Amino acid sequence: MKDMHITVIAPYEGLQKTVKRVIQKQQPFTYNVYLADLQEAIPIIQKVDDKTDLYISRGGTANVIKAHTDKQVVEIPISGYDILRTLLLIQDDKEEAEIIAFENISSDFNEISQLLGIEVPITSIHSAAEAEPAVIKAKASGRRVIIGDTVTNDFAQRYGVEGILITSGVESVKQAFEQAETIRQVHLFHDEEKELFKTLATEMDESFLVVRDKEIRFKNNALKRLEHQIDVSHLVKQLLEQLENKMPSNEVILTLYDEEKPYQLKVQPLGKKGYFIIYIREIEQVIPSFCSPFQTDELTLPLVLGTKSELVNQFDQLVESNDPILILAEEGSGERCVAEAFLANRWALECDLRKQVEMGELFQTQMPLFFSHLHTLSESKQKEWIDAATRYKAPVVFFCNHDVKKDWFGDRILELPSLTARLEQDPSFIRTFISRANSRFGKQVIGLKNTAAEMQELCQRHSLVSFRDLIFQEVEQAQSSHIHLEVSQLNHEQEGVICLDLSKTLDEMESEIIQRVLKEEGFNQSKTAKRLNVNRTTIWRKLK
């Protein structure tokens, strides 16, 4: 507020003229000066209130203004000089005079008159309605001079008594304008501070909005950019529904979805005026450092579950459960495909329990969770994690390739068969892999040339996922209708050595290396990228 517009309402003409003389030297202000007393000021207030920053007036008129506006009102004081001048003016007629004034003025007159030894009867009034009876009573008591404010002076003249108006001098008007300047400086400071905070809020990197009465009142630039990607109003609507249309009194964190992608919404109350700030964070921003986004193995449920009705029926029962589920299997047996179904086909986080994991921070994400290597923890720690997961509202899947204490899971355990068992039960998965590889690489392979003994050895050395990758690798290179998997090649691979065909192009060899490391890292692209010392985008681009 560089310039302040002031409306001055003077209750008597002399004050109006004094104000006009003083304001000629007041640079930071613009003014309008009106002459009106008490209720006469109301039409003026109604006319100018929208354009007025501050009012200046005096006595009862100032009180009327305060009752009809929420703007600040500065009162022109009755200074000690004003009282002294008035008392000296009437000292020769003090026996026939009486002061009738509002309490704030009469109390000052009382103190100064006692100091000067000028004894003058004083009557305090609390409203303009009390002025007339007070004047009538004073006249009946023989008073010939009534000293007071404008309203008292008017009644004195009406009843034939001499009225002396208590006027405000130049020093009192200057004091009022000094107070107005102080107020202007305070407003200027707060306006600058408010503008600074608004700029900071607007330019903050974190997306947030401010809500009051279930309506959005402010959005920063980061949130406006986010609106180009997601339906923010839909997320806010979901939030209100989850909170049963009642905004919380404490901080609340929820994970909500827009078109199947999760977003974390943190709600915080702002003061006591019903405002709430809602931070909207993309899930990548809030994933704890010890976690990573859940990676599927790109298998299908029919293939993983096979034709064994007992396994299919068990899965159908477990998928309806709200409690944590344990998958027992060798790594790469399709556990990720099954877990994806249990996790409601939504974004989830995966955690390796061999690492240092902060339970509180993890459960605060409210996202579906996939845990591996539960068996590496002590029994007490296993129980602690399972109990915490049971209380957790989102789906949780534990995966182990070793036995854990099954009693803790009851009948919520799904055990997937090994590759050798699959080969014995239903070898059709081989045909499925060859068919998909043909579709990807444009080949016409119709089968394997391996013997039964070689197939047994292959199944002992491979998981379902790594066997699929081996099929894909051979089909890509196939020059005939059948492929053959070299068992001798497996020995080197088990030792961590990749055998490269130097007749391939550099891109083909690079792809083979990435596929092998990806398999060894459980198809976790982040871990693969870190091991190969490249970023995830490079891995993703190379695999396209």
Side-chain angles (χ1 to χ4, degrees), residues 429-440:
F429 66 90
I430 299 173
R431 181 185 65 235
T432 300
F433 287 154
I434 292 175
S435 173
R436 291 181 183 173
N438 283 336
S439 297
R440 176 178 292 186

Side-chain angles (χ1 to χ4, degrees), residues 119-290:
E119 297 288 337
V120 181
I122 298 175
T123 299
S124 296
I125 61 173
H126 301 88
S127 69
E130 297 178 15
E132 185 175 9
V135 170
I136 294 172
K137 183 178 179 181
K139 182 180 178 181
S141 301
R143 308 299 180 197
R144 293 191 305 106
V145 180
I146 303 295
I147 302 99
D149 209 334
T150 308
V151 63
T152 308
N153 194 53
D154 289 343
F155 282 123
Q157 292 178 7
R158 183 184 302 178
Y159 287 100
V161 180
E162 182 183 354
I164 295 180
L165 183 65
I166 305 170
T167 59
S168 294
V170 172
E171 66 282 348
S172 297
V173 174
K174 285 182 177 179
Q175 185 179 339
F177 278 100
E178 287 170 1
Q179 187 178 347
E181 171 60 13
T182 301
I183 292 171
R184 188 187 75 86
Q185 292 292 342
V186 171
H187 276 284
L188 182 61
F189 173 79
H190 285 298
D191 285 349
E192 290 175 349
E193 189 177 59
K194 184 168 65 176
E195 189 61 32
L196 173 62
F197 287 144
K198 184 177 179 180
T199 301
L200 289 173
T202 301
E203 300 302 327
M204 273 180 63
D205 291 335
E206 189 163 18
S207 304
F208 75 87
L209 53 90
V210 176
V211 171
R212 188 185 186 193
D213 297 330
K214 304 176 190 176
E215 292 185 4
I216 297 173
R217 301 300 181 94
F218 174 82
K219 303 174 186 176
N220 73 340
N221 288 342
L223 187 124
K224 290 176 182 177
R225 290 192 293 269
L226 187 62
E227 282 186 308
H228 294 302
Q229 306 169 34
I230 66 171
D231 187 349
V232 170
S233 59
H234 176 62
L235 285 176
V236 174
K237 183 180 178 181
Q238 287 187 69
L239 173 70
L240 291 172
E241 288 173 354
Q242 292 242 6
L243 297 173
E244 297 181 346
N245 286 312
K246 294 180 181 178
M247 298 304 279
S249 55
N250 298 307
E251 179 182 296
V252 171
I253 297 177
L254 293 174
T255 299
L256 302 174
Y257 290 79
D258 180 71
E259 295 184 356
E260 297 302 315
K261 182 174 180 180
Y263 293 86
Q264 187 188 82
L265 276 71
K266 182 168 80 171
V267 186
Q268 290 180 325
L270 283 178
K272 297 181 180 179
K273 295 185 178 180
Y275 287 95
F276 294 85
I277 186 167
I278 302 175
Y279 296 94
I280 300 181
R281 297 162 174 165
E282 296 184 81
I283 207 63
E284 292 85 353
Q285 297 176 277
V286 296
I287 294 177
S289 59
F290 46 79

